[in-house]
Amino acid sequence: MPPSSRVRPLTFVDTHLHLEELGDPAEVVAQASAAGVTRLIAMGVDLGRSRGAVALAQRYSHVWAAIGHHPEEALEPDLAALDELAAHPKVVAIGEVGLDFEQARTPPPDVQMARLHRLCSLAVEHGLPVSIHNRGAATELAEVIAAHSGLRGVMHYFALEWDWAARFLDLGFHLSFAGLVTRPSRHALREVVKRCPADRLLLETDSPFGNAHKRMGVPNRPAYLLDTAELVAKLRGIRLEELSDLEKTNALALFTRMR
Ligand SMILES: [Zn+2]
């Protein structure tokens, strides 16, 4: 649909990306805005990059920050420093955090789980949602999430089948869909896209990772969120404008400091 025939402007939120890995942020943010991706949540995977995400959020009005500690990190998270950073008004989430039991170099599961418990406590203390990474650890993630009453958040880059989607939805979590859904072989994931309650659905690029099928081999960018959005709208039988409205509403409801 050409821009002139749109009923109202598209305003999608890229709820999970690694803005620091993308080159010139001014150009990336401008390209995203021009495509209708007007809000970006830059993730922090360690303390340095969390500080970097906050700096980018301070510089660009379209950018907000998440601060976190990726499960692949060898060192312990600096909770005192993260606690201080969490008070910044443009910090909207604790992330990227989670569990990764499949990568070769990740710390042992018990170490990762102990860290995640502390990071979830930090999120609850600050009233912030968590952006959760999962690789081969859905059972343990559900266990950790269930242990923290009042914890809100999103399963980022959701890639599992409906039974797991239902489990995380029951825990009050949102599901964020990325370029993975555009891969034709992902039938079970597309089923989840169709069945996800309208008020729990989010979108992301995870750029520069997680590209859409038609752009495989090209570094991902927040502007390419539209590839995923177009398919998600089609799968759910709604117009792109309706998806834009509901995704923005959901993102603002979860990432409350972004309002
Ligand atoms: Zn990520």
Side-chain angles (χ1 to χ4, degrees):
M1 190 186 291
S4 58
S5 64
R6 278 179 190 146
V7 177
R8 45 187 182 272
L10 297 172
T11 53
F12 285 104
V13 184
D14 187 347
T15 63
H16 186 117
L17 80 156
H18 299 272
L19 188 53
E20 281 180 285
E21 317 286 334
L22 284 167
D24 178 11
E27 191 259 319
V28 172
V29 171
Q31 184 200 32
S33 294
V37 185
T38 55
R39 290 178 171 89
L40 313 178
I41 305 181
M43 291 291 130
V45 294
D46 57 24
L47 185 57
R49 284 175 190 166
S50 295
R51 287 187 171 131
V54 173
L56 287 166
Q58 261 174 320
R59 186 142 28 111
Y60 300 102
S61 60
H62 294 282
V63 177
W64 285 262
I67 58 165
H69 190 85
H70 198 279
E72 286 176 32
E73 287 300 311
L75 300 172
E76 286 299 309
D78 184 339
L79 283 162
L82 289 172
D83 182 51
E84 204 175 300
L85 213 49
H88 191 283
K90 284 203 89 176
V91 170
V92 297
I94 301 296
E96 180 170 354
V97 297
L99 298 175
D100 194 320
F101 293 171
E102 287 178 3
Q103 299 283 93
R105 293 196 346 253
T106 51
D110 58 327
V111 171
Q112 290 188 44
M113 285 178 76
R115 289 177 184 177
L116 184 59
H117 274 296
R118 295 200 294 276
L119 291 158
C120 288
S121 296
L122 180 75
V124 173
E125 275 164 35
H126 285 271
L128 290 170
V130 284
S131 187
I132 297 277
H133 166 106
N134 168 40
R135 211 176 260 143
T139 303
E140 292 79 2
L141 278 167
E143 191 185 303
V144 173
I145 290 168
H148 293 267
S149 78
L151 182 68
R152 300 173 309 121
V154 52
M155 301 306 291
H156 118 79
Y157 206 83
F158 194 78
L160 303 174
E161 65 278 15
W162 175 253
D163 286 356
W164 276 115
R167 177 87 179 95
F168 290 110
L169 290 165
D170 282 349
L171 288 165
F173 268 53
H174 288 61
L175 307 180
S176 179
F177 300 105
L180 197 61
V181 302
T182 66
R183 295 193 199 160
S185 61
R186 289 294 188 146
H187 303 292
L189 182 57
R190 290 181 177 193
E191 242 358 87
V192 177
V193 170
K194 288 182 198 169
R195 293 175 71 176
C196 180
D199 61 349
R200 302 290 193 84
L201 186 151
L202 294 171
L203 299 171
E204 67 172 72
T205 60
D206 199 20
S207 44
F209 317 108
N211 220 333
H213 178 67
K214 72 177 185 188
R215 298 184 203 267
M216 293 281 263
V218 175
N220 203 357
R221 287 184 153 231
Y224 304 160
L225 185 96
L226 269 294
D227 297 343
T228 303
E230 275 162 15
L231 181 65
V232 167
K234 194 173 148 199
L235 289 170
R236 293 179 69 89
I238 61 175
R239 289 180 302 116
L240 196 56
E241 286 78 4
E242 287 175 70
L243 180 65
S244 154
D245 280 351
L246 82 83
E247 199 249 348
K248 184 183 67 183
T249 301
N250 295 346
L252 295 179
L254 180 64
F255 304 104
T256 50
R257 282 195 201 163
M258 205 162 57
R259 284 177 200 159

